[in-house]
Amino acid sequence: DQQVKQNSPSLSVQEGRISILNCDYTNSMFDYFLWYKKYPAEGPTFLISISSIKDKNEDGRFTVFLNKSAKHLSLHIVPSQPGDSAVYFCAAKISGNTPLVFGKGTRLSVIA
Amino acid sequence: KAGVTQTPRYLIKTRGQQVTLSCSPISGHRSVSWYQQTPGQGLQFLFEYFSETQRNKGNFPGRFSGRQFSNSRSEMNVSTLELGDSALYLCASSLGTGETGGYTFGSGTRLTVV
């Protein structure tokens, strides 16, 4: 049972345009959400997070939006750069000593 | 500060063998979590160790086991290897005090079972 779903395996965007990566979750107990970025042959690196008490969090070119009623979050990258090309993982957790639950990832390709 | 170190980076094993992977967390981090990444399956949680005790466990068969030492270094063992165990195994370290975020991943061990 996939509790965190990233339904788009891949996404191609032109350099300078907006990239929007989507994530859905089924467990209403999740109250913290994170995005990780992964390059080949490297471990995932933390990008941005959001608590369920917020609906938006911004960090430079990266913004995460959370829609709790729809159990949906999205990551916006503006403007997209070729160096953003990587696999992006959405992750969720329940506060406390609980594990991160990951989606299957979306491969973003930013074309120059 | 030094990051999370996983050894070895690459391994090739034969079906039926057993393997041990190692993870050294960031200094001061007491929690180590293990994940399996396979194509199309994302990162699947194996287990978490905190202060030498398994605190959380994912839905993997008993062939997958782990332990943690007093210096917080952790090992993961897979016995009776199957072809489907071929994957990238990642460990993540954190303080382990229930903080959100703060998970730092190692570069992983690529295991190939032939």
Side-chain angles (χ1 to χ4, degrees):
Chain A
D1 178 32
Q2 195 80 15
Q3 296 186 74
V4 178
K5 301 177 185 179
Q6 294 177 258
N7 293 318
S8 298
S10 63
L11 174 68
S12 286
V13 171
Q14 276 201 311
E15 181 180 6
R17 307 294 287 264
I18 183 171
S19 294
I20 300 176
L21 296 94
N22 293 303
C23 177
D24 297 295
Y25 61 95
T26 58
N27 189 341
S28 57
M29 297 291 291
F30 288 143
D31 56 3
Y32 201 75
F33 305 89
L34 306 90
W35 285 93
Y36 280 80
K37 176 179 176 179
K38 186 180 184 299
Y39 293 117
E42 293 182 15
T45 55
F46 170 74
L47 199 55
I48 192 169
S49 62
I50 188 167
S51 162
S52 61
I53 63 173
K54 295 185 174 181
D55 53 20
K56 177 183 173 181
N57 188 26
E58 200 170 346
D59 184 1
R61 297 186 297 115
F62 303 91
T63 303
V64 56
F65 295 92
L66 175 62
N67 182 334
K68 288 187 292 293
S69 60
K71 294 192 179 69
H72 176 84
L73 63 155
S74 60
L75 174 68
H76 292 211
I77 306 173
V78 184
S80 301
Q81 299 173 353
D84 296 330
S85 297
V87 177
Y88 289 78
F89 289 98
C90 172
K93 78 184 302 288
I94 301 169
S95 291
N97 296 317
T98 61
L100 284 176
V101 179
F102 284 85
K104 294 184 179 182
T106 295
R107 181 177 300 279
L108 173 65
S109 299
V110 180
I111 304 159
Chain B
K1 59 183 178 182
V4 179
T5 304
Q6 289 190 247
T7 56
R9 288 296 309 272
Y10 302 93
L11 264 180
I12 300 176
K13 289 285 188 180
T14 303
R15 194 171 44 182
Q17 287 187 311
Q18 67 99 24
V19 67
T20 300
L21 313 181
S22 178
C23 173
S24 293
I26 289 172
S27 178
H29 283 191
R30 294 165 63 192
S31 168
V32 174
S33 298
W34 289 89
Y35 288 84
Q36 180 195 66
Q37 185 190 4
T38 53
Q41 290 300 314
L43 279 72
Q44 295 185 284
F45 175 71
L46 282 152
F47 30 65
E48 180 211 3
Y49 284 86
F50 177 78
S51 292
E52 302 179 65
T53 302
Q54 188 181 87
R55 186 161 68 176
N56 288 294
K57 187 176 188 307
N59 190 26
F60 276 80
R63 299 186 297 107
F64 292 81
S65 63
R67 59 178 176 168
Q68 187 178 35
F69 302 94
S70 58
N71 62 357
S72 293
R73 188 178 72 86
S74 177
E75 287 182 347
M76 189 192 99
N77 185 78
V78 188
S79 63
T80 320
L81 284 165
E82 300 177 358
L83 296 179
D85 297 333
S86 295
L88 179 66
Y89 290 88
L90 293 157
C91 78
S93 83
S94 69
L95 291 169
T97 52
E99 77 285 4
T100 47
Y103 292 76
T104 303
F105 282 85
S107 296
T109 294
R110 171 75 61 185
L111 171 66
T112 303
V113 182
V114 297

